[in-house]
Amino acid sequence: MATGKKILFKILKISGISIAITLLLLIVLPIIFADTITEKVKTLANESLEGELNFDDSNLSFFKHFPSLTLTLNEFNLNGSAPFKEQSLVAAKEIGFGIDIPSLLFGSETKIDEIYLNEATINIQVNTKGEANYNIYKSSDTIKSNDESSASLQLKDIQINRSHLIYDDASAKIHIEGKGFNYKGKGNLLESNFSLKTTAKIDSLSFAYDKNEYLKNKKVQADLITRINTNSLAFVFEKNDLIINKLPVEFSGFFNFLANGYEMDFKLKTENSNLEDLFTALPSEYVTWMNQTQMKGKTDAYFTLKGKYIASTNENPNANFNIKVRDGYVKHQKGPYPVKDIYLNLDTKLPSLDINQLKIQLDSLYFNVNENKLSAILKSDGFGQRMQIDTKIKSNLDLNFLSNALQIPNLKIAGKLDSDIVAKGNYDKIAHTFPITKGKFALTNGSIQTAYYPKPIENINIQAQLNCPTVAFKDATFTLTPATFTFENEPFNMSASFKNFDDIEYDIKANGILNLAPIYKVFSQKGLDLNGIIKANVSLSGKQSDATNGNIKNLKNSGTLELENIVTTSDYLAKPFLIEKGLFTFNQDKMNFSNFNGKYGQSDITMNGYVLNVINFILSEKETIKGTFDLASQYLNINEFIPATTQKTEDDTVITTPSVIEVPTNLDVVIQTRAQKTQYDDIVITNLNGLIALQKGTITLSNGTLGIVGATAKMKGTYRNEGKEKAYFDYTIKANDFDIKRAYNEIKLFREIATAAENAEGIISLDYTIKGILNKNMEPVFPSLEGNGILSVKKVKMKGFKIMNVVSQKTNNPDIKDPDVSEVDIKSTIKNNLLTVERFKFKVSGFRLRFGGQTSLDGKLNLKMRLGLPPLGLIGIPIKVTGTQDNPKIQLGKKSEDLEETIYEDGVTPLTTPTDSIGITKPDVIIDSTAIIVPVIQNDSIKQNILPLEKENDSIKQNTLPLKKESDSVPKKKINLPY
């Protein structure tokens, strides 16, 4: 007994001492190592991370995440990588780093193997170029080695609690947002190929693709096993069970990062699930409706996404979706009867995400509501110009029964719907084949009302028939007799008949008033709007071939179409176009515009005229509409007509970049334009007049005149785009006697190019022609430019012209300082990225000066000057200017080397310009001819690069230094420029 008591006492004593020592270590170790570990984490962050890291304070403890020794940083923030360096990637109330104890006590490097994030915002961003903000970890070859002991990130455990996750990928058009995000992940992350076991719970998950929401505010639970290969950056989803609200979903597949995109194989499926569970995945606004609705039935659903996504080669994955519903039953508690016997078997395939390859197989769609039935079978392959179709649709349905049975929120429908449509065969618009079709569709006494507008569209009556007894276009007919409805006590009726789709024989009548604003509100969609009134009284009858062949007498087109406050949009315009008032009168193949008043942004437009071939243009994609207009404007802002793309910078500043103006290829229109005041960039133009023609995708302007900085200019040229990537232009301008000082004060572009004109005074004229290519941002591609012309100088005072002032100072000749220049023509040419100035002469106070040389359009200089001394200029001082516009070098001497040419090559024949046509482009490269000499010398530092002149025995002696010889010859260089 005594021995037993002693042993027990020793055990208790040893245990007590051990516990005390352990508690002491748990308290003392964090105190001892707190500063050391904090500094090591800071060092790790500085060496390993690109993003800026900040936190308020830190503490080290075993008790935060017992038994792990955890360094906690409070109010933590880590910014992302370029181009998102100013935006937060991870911001958390606290972040904890679990420390590996053995490495702390015995190792030269402290290992961090756990991370805990609490109440964090994780903001993952990818821009349209595919640049992401999460590339913050420096590669191993960029991390500087440090002999001192440091920390390393070797994770085995990740925990995220009560956080907010945002993933916004503009390149893939995907937006994911998870609120109440809780995550636990465990795996040996030290290995290059490891399995990560994770559990996740999200209180509210939303998923959108291309701005369309597919999940909104859904609860998600997930148990996942993911195999990750860090060498190839590949993810394999081995076993993944999800619950979206109540719907169980299995998820498997893989995702690989490629050098230029992604490779994926995703599979999602739910099998033998309850129909009610499927509906829980619908948007949250239907939750109340679901709680009042009884549902029965079973469902299966599958979704796969497989293939590569590479934006540069336009490669996309294949998508498949299948859903089946069996023995479906839906009854709302307020409904008098259920919708029952619901069967659905739908399979869709979208190869390469290309809508033209869409395949739909609807083996069955059937339901019964109070003995009112609808059944449908649809099989189709293709979309648009070519489709293979096999369909049967039959309904005998009272929509009022269906509406009462379902009690769908914010929607009431009524009317008798009878349809019987059978179609089988190939629709090929090119081969002119049509499915054999017999179909009718009738809606009687219909109405529709939504929550977006207090009154319904009612008295809807539609009788439509589509028939084609053979496979030929010529045998296809479509009739709409009639289509009527009443809205806001305004009746509208329309009838239409189309026969022989090879040579369409049409008969269309429309009469009534359409108030677009309230009609659109009935079908309101967030982010969109439509307004205006259309008054129609139109009768159109004829045959397409008569319009094509000019047999106008056989057409019977008449009537009027009156527009008031119509807002329209177009892919060719950057802003909505408001038609305040317009009257269209139909007369055979002509449609007259009368008192057509519109606004586009700040611009006002009044237009009168006519277009021809209207009906033919509507009925055929290959036809061209022709017309003549007279356009007048008091104020025309050209900047608003240029399409633009916007993107955010690191500091959330929105940058608007012009994009290529696309010219429709199906227009043959001439517009006589007169604008009292026109704004282009910061240039104000008065009395703009000219004849603008749009023909086959090309804009031409002839007989153009305008007033600019008090002078009158004439211009001509052309513009033609090639897709959205580039455009060709050819431009000629002739401007006489404009004030150089006024041009400097009023035109920003002139100030930027001709910087030396700040203190210049006098009159100059310009006669210049230039052609070339504009890139996708409507900027000139310098190597593509070709031009020539003359800048005429009349009575210009070169005040502040530094080269003359320095030469004046060194030669002790004050008379050539701020010289007056009169009657000098400066000829120049532009080609292969070089502006070449022909030699020209002028006199200043008995001195005879000569200039000439080259300047490249990217700023390099090779200019020559000779200062001829009085009385006859036989003795002269040669001066050369090299370097760049930002850093010019001025030396004495003649010898110099030609600048390197850049020959533009893109494999496309340049635009040939008619002599009486004119294009649209910025005049910056034209004004550049005024900067042949002046701007390149504007730099105070040039005095350091000028060799001193000394007088000796009444003669000028040159202090010579050896000239640098960079190369014996400079060959022409050919480059291919990307667009």
Side-chain angles (χ1 to χ4, degrees):
M1 290 290 292
T3 302
K5 288 181 179 180
K6 287 182 180 181
I7 294 173
L8 179 61
F9 177 75
K10 285 183 179 181
I11 293 173
L12 292 174
K13 184 178 178 181
I14 293 171
S15 299
I17 293 171
S18 299
I19 292 171
I21 292 173
T22 301
L23 288 174
L24 183 63
L25 288 174
L26 291 176
I27 296 171
V28 173
L29 278 178
I31 297 174
I32 295 173
F33 289 100
D35 293 338
T36 301
I37 293 177
T38 301
E39 287 302 316
K40 288 184 177 182
V41 171
K42 286 183 179 179
T43 301
L44 172 65
N46 290 331
E47 289 181 350
S48 304
L49 302 179
E50 296 281 0
E52 179 185 346
L53 185 150
N54 294 294
F55 57 91
D56 283 356
D57 55 57
S58 63
N59 59 76
L60 187 68
S61 172
F62 279 101
F63 304 106
K64 195 74 175 178
H65 297 281
F66 188 82
S68 297
L69 176 61
T70 306
L71 173 68
T72 302
L73 306 181
N74 298 310
E75 303 301 332
F76 172 89
N77 184 77
L78 174 63
N79 282 0
S81 55
F84 301 93
K85 286 189 174 182
E86 301 301 319
Q87 296 183 22
S88 174
L89 171 61
V90 179
K93 185 175 182 179
E94 61 178 36
I95 180 172
F97 298 96
I99 310 299
D100 178 66
I101 301 297
S103 70
L104 172 65
L105 296 176
F106 310 111
S108 60
E109 185 179 67
T110 302
K111 297 178 181 178
I112 299 171
D113 55 11
E114 297 174 344
I115 283 185
Y116 307 93
L117 270 173
N118 289 325
E119 298 182 33
T121 298
I122 305 167
N123 179 32
I124 301 173
Q125 298 286 324
V126 183
N127 64 16
T128 53
K129 298 178 182 178
E131 299 169 329
N133 69 341
Y134 52 76
N135 296 318
I136 57 171
Y137 195 78
K138 295 179 181 178
S139 60
S140 58
D141 57 345
T142 63
I143 299 176
K144 296 181 180 179
S145 62
N146 195 334
D147 294 335
E148 301 178 3
S149 61
S150 61
S152 66
L153 200 62
Q154 300 182 5
L155 296 178
K156 295 181 181 178
D157 193 359
I158 301 173
Q159 291 188 30
I160 302 173
N161 300 312
R162 304 181 305 280
S163 295
H164 184 186
L165 172 67
I166 300 170
Y167 178 84
D168 189 87
D169 189 338
S171 65
K173 300 180 181 180
I174 291 174
H175 181 86
I176 301 172
E177 186 166 1
K179 298 177 182 178
F181 178 56
N182 297 275
Y183 173 91
K184 290 183 180 180
K186 288 189 176 183
N188 190 358
L189 280 67
L190 302 179
E191 298 179 358
S192 60
N193 196 332
F194 63 93
S195 292
L196 181 65
K197 297 181 180 180
T198 62
T199 60
K201 291 183 179 180
I202 304 174
D203 293 339
S204 174
L205 177 67
S206 298
F207 172 81
Y209 174 74
D210 198 14
K211 298 182 180 180
N212 294 314
E213 287 188 323
Y214 293 92
L215 290 177
K216 184 178 180 181
N217 301 330
K218 298 302 171 188
K219 290 183 178 180
V220 175
Q221 297 182 42
D223 292 308
L224 314 173
I225 298 178
T226 306
R227 192 170 70 248
I228 302 174
N229 188 327
T230 57
N231 291 331
S232 62
L233 202 55
F235 300 84
V236 178
F237 306 98
E238 294 179 334
K239 182 180 182 299
N240 302 275
D241 297 323
L242 308 177
I243 298 178
I244 303 175
N245 277 8
K246 296 181 180 180
L247 181 68
V249 176
E250 295 181 21
F251 172 49
S252 61
F254 68 82
F255 185 87
N256 295 340
F257 285 89
L258 306 176
N260 56 350
Y262 313 106
E263 182 180 12
M264 65 196 75
D265 185 358
F266 294 146
K267 301 180 181 69
L268 290 91
K269 69 177 181 178
T270 179
E271 292 182 321
N272 204 31
S273 301
N274 295 323
L275 181 62
E276 181 180 6
D277 296 340
L278 176 66
F279 272 79
T280 63
L282 292 176
S284 56
E285 53 262 32
Y286 292 99
V287 171
T288 302
W289 175 79
M290 287 174 48
N291 292 336
Q292 300 174 350
T293 305
Q294 180 185 4
M295 296 184 188
K296 300 177 185 178
K298 292 294 183 177
T299 180
D300 301 331
Y302 303 88
F303 175 76
T304 64
L305 187 65
K306 183 177 181 179
K308 294 179 180 179
Y309 172 78
I310 303 176
S312 59
T313 59
N314 199 29
E315 190 170 354
N316 293 296
N318 302 322
N320 297 329
F321 175 70
N322 177 276
I323 184 170
K324 296 179 182 178
V325 177
R326 304 178 299 278
D327 298 319
Y329 175 98
V330 178
K331 184 182 185 303
H332 193 274
Q333 64 184 24
K334 294 182 181 180
Y337 21 69
V339 179
K340 59 183 181 179
D341 301 332
I342 302 173
Y343 288 87
L344 172 65
N345 188 358
L346 172 65
D347 185 64
T348 62
K349 302 182 187 301
L350 191 60
S352 299
L353 298 181
D354 182 3
I355 190 65
N356 292 315
Q357 300 184 54
L358 175 65
K359 296 180 180 180
I360 299 175
Q361 185 160 328
L362 180 65
D363 282 345
S364 62
L365 169 61
Y366 179 86
F367 64 82
N368 181 345
V369 51
N370 197 28
E371 300 307 317
N372 284 250
K373 302 174 183 179
L374 181 142
S375 63
I377 296 174
L378 171 63
K379 297 178 182 179
S380 68
D381 188 350
F383 189 82
Q385 291 193 341
R386 291 180 176 177
M387 296 178 65
Q388 185 177 350
I389 299 173
D390 183 0
T391 184
K392 295 179 181 179
I393 301 174
K394 191 176 183 62
S395 69
N396 179 13
L397 196 60
D398 190 322
L399 297 180
N400 190 47
F401 286 172
L402 182 64
S403 183
N404 288 335
L406 294 178
Q407 295 286 316
I408 297 176
N410 304 322
L411 177 65
K412 289 184 178 180
I413 56 176
K416 183 70 172 178
L417 177 62
D418 288 311
S419 62
D420 189 357
I421 302 171
V422 178
K424 187 174 183 178
N426 293 325
Y427 172 83
D428 191 325
K429 197 168 184 179
I430 299 174
H432 282 220
T433 61
F434 203 91
I436 296 176
T437 305
K438 183 176 182 181
K440 66 176 182 177
F441 175 91
L443 176 60
T444 308
N445 295 324
S447 69
I448 180 169
Q449 183 175 5
T450 68
Y452 306 108
Y453 197 75
K455 295 184 179 181
I457 300 175
E458 52 191 357
N459 298 327
I460 304 173
N461 291 279
I462 299 174
Q463 297 285 336
Q465 287 189 339
L466 176 63
N467 291 296
C468 187
T470 71
V471 298
F473 254 42
K474 65 181 181 62
D475 294 324
T477 62
F478 174 75
T479 58
L480 188 66
T481 54
T484 64
F485 65 86
T486 302
F487 186 64
E488 287 281 12
N489 297 319
E490 293 284 356
F492 186 88
N493 63 80
M494 177 181 179
S495 62
S497 171
F498 300 92
K499 300 178 181 178
N500 185 3
F501 285 17
D502 269 334
D503 180 14
I504 296 178
E505 183 179 343
Y506 59 89
D507 186 0
I508 305 170
K509 293 180 175 61
N511 186 274
I513 297 176
L514 294 176
N515 194 340
L516 298 180
I519 290 177
Y520 186 77
K521 286 179 180 177
V522 172
F523 309 99
S524 180
Q525 185 174 349
K526 186 177 180 181
L528 298 176
D529 198 8
L530 189 63
N531 206 341
I533 295 176
I534 299 176
K535 299 178 181 179
N537 186 8
V538 177
S539 178
L540 309 173
S541 179
K543 188 183 293 186
Q544 186 177 358
S545 59
D546 287 333
T548 303
N549 299 326
N551 298 323
I552 309 301
K553 62 181 181 179
N554 294 335
L555 303 179
K556 297 178 181 179
N557 300 325
S558 63
T560 60
L561 198 64
E562 188 174 352
L563 309 182
E564 293 181 8
N565 297 319
I566 300 294
V567 180
T568 62
T569 59
S570 169
D571 292 339
Y572 298 106
L573 298 175
K575 293 177 178 290
F577 191 89
L578 170 63
I579 304 172
E580 292 181 324
K581 188 178 180 181
L583 179 63
F584 300 99
T585 304
F586 293 88
N587 183 14
Q588 305 302 63
D589 75 329
K590 178 188 287 188
M591 183 171 71
N592 292 293
F593 286 61
S594 302
N595 299 320
F596 185 91
N597 298 323
K599 285 187 176 180
Y600 182 80
Q602 299 176 334
S603 304
D604 65 273
I605 295 173
T606 300
M607 192 160 59
N608 290 280
Y610 65 88
V611 291
L612 300 172
N613 202 34
V614 179
I615 303 299
N616 214 14
F617 177 78
I618 295 173
L619 296 177
S620 175
E621 294 180 355
K622 298 180 180 180
E623 288 296 319
T624 298
I625 195 166
K626 303 177 181 180
T628 300
F629 297 97
D630 185 280
L631 186 150
S633 175
Q634 294 182 346
Y635 178 67
L636 199 59
N637 191 339
I638 301 296
N639 303 313
E640 296 178 329
F641 287 84
I642 299 176
T645 56
T646 59
Q647 64 181 43
K648 286 186 178 181
T649 62
E650 299 174 6
D651 58 354
D652 282 342
T653 302
V654 177
I655 296 179
T656 301
T657 305
S659 54
V660 169
I661 300 174
E662 295 187 77
V663 184
T665 58
N666 55 357
L667 295 183
D668 185 0
V669 177
V670 176
I671 306 172
Q672 178 63 54
T673 305
R674 296 187 302 276
Q676 295 182 18
K677 181 180 178 181
T678 303
Q679 184 88 25
Y680 178 62
D681 210 356
D682 68 327
I683 303 171
V684 178
I685 298 169
T686 59
N687 298 322
L688 174 65
N689 291 277
L691 194 65
I692 299 175
L694 288 79
Q695 186 177 36
K696 295 181 179 179
T698 300
I699 299 177
T700 65
L701 173 65
S702 55
N703 300 323
T705 62
L706 57 86
I708 183 170
V709 293
T712 300
K714 296 181 179 180
M715 54 187 182
K716 61 182 180 180
T718 58
Y719 170 94
R720 173 171 59 86
N721 70 289
E722 184 177 303
K724 296 182 179 180
E725 296 301 312
K726 61 182 175 181
Y728 301 91
F729 74 93
D730 196 324
Y731 183 86
T732 297
I733 185 171
K734 186 172 184 179
N736 295 322
D737 301 336
F738 67 88
D739 189 317
I740 190 172
K741 189 170 186 65
R742 184 174 173 183
Y744 185 90
N745 291 334
E746 296 182 16
I747 303 176
K748 178 183 177 182
L749 188 63
F750 189 84
R751 291 195 297 272
E752 292 175 348
I753 295 177
T755 56
E758 179 179 6
N759 299 311
E761 299 176 359
I763 303 298
I764 61 176
S765 298
L766 181 67
D767 189 349
Y768 220 89
T769 296
I770 192 166
K771 66 179 180 179
I773 293 174
L774 304 174
N775 65 17
K776 62 182 179 181
N777 295 328
M778 291 294 285
E779 300 165 338
V781 180
F782 288 150
S784 74
L785 300 180
E786 295 184 26
N788 62 84
I790 301 173
L791 174 72
S792 299
V793 178
K794 299 180 182 179
K795 299 178 182 179
V796 172
K797 186 173 184 64
M798 307 288 285
K799 188 176 180 180
F801 187 30
K802 290 186 178 180
I803 188 171
M804 298 303 300
N805 295 348
V806 173
V807 173
S808 169
Q809 177 185 359
K810 296 299 182 180
T811 59
N812 293 322
N813 288 291
D815 292 337
I816 63 174
K817 182 179 181 180
D818 295 335
D820 292 333
V821 181
S822 300
E823 303 300 331
V824 176
D825 289 338
I826 303 173
K827 298 180 180 180
S828 65
T829 59
I830 297 175
K831 191 173 183 179
N832 297 339
N833 205 42
L834 296 181
L835 187 149
T836 303
V837 184
E838 294 185 18
R839 183 183 295 176
F840 66 94
K841 304 175 182 179
F842 61 95
K843 296 179 181 179
V844 177
S845 301
F847 291 86
R848 297 172 182 266
L849 290 95
R850 189 173 70 198
F851 279 92
Q854 296 175 318
T855 173
S856 69
L857 299 183
D858 53 5
K860 297 177 183 178
L861 306 174
N862 181 25
L863 299 173
K864 300 176 183 178
M865 171 183 175
R866 182 182 184 276
L867 178 64
L869 303 178
L872 300 176
L874 298 178
I875 299 175
I877 304 170
I879 300 172
K880 61 180 181 179
V881 182
T882 58
T884 66
Q885 294 189 22
D886 294 330
N887 186 26
K889 297 178 181 180
I890 301 177
Q891 295 175 311
L892 298 179
K894 296 181 180 179
K895 189 175 180 181
S896 64
E897 298 176 350
D898 289 342
L899 293 177
E900 189 176 278
E901 295 184 1
T902 302
I903 300 176
Y904 176 78
E905 292 183 345
D906 73 341
V908 181
T909 305
L911 177 69
T912 303
T913 309
T915 56
D916 61 344
S917 59
I918 188 65
I920 298 175
T921 185
K922 290 186 176 181
D924 50 356
V925 289
I926 298 170
I927 305 298
D928 192 32
S929 58
T930 66
I932 292 168
I933 302 171
V934 181
V936 297
I937 313 299
Q938 291 298 301
N939 194 317
D940 291 334
S941 64
I942 62 173
K943 295 181 181 179
Q944 301 172 3
N945 297 324
I946 296 182
L947 298 179
L949 298 175
E950 295 182 358
K951 277 192 174 183
E952 185 177 334
N953 298 328
D954 296 328
S955 64
I956 302 294
K957 180 180 178 182
Q958 176 180 340
N959 263 0
T960 58
L961 290 177
L963 298 175
K964 290 184 178 179
K965 190 174 183 181
E966 296 181 357
S967 61
D968 293 333
S969 62
V970 181
K972 292 183 178 180
K973 181 175 67 174
K974 295 184 178 182
I975 63 173
N976 292 317
L977 298 175
Y979 293 95

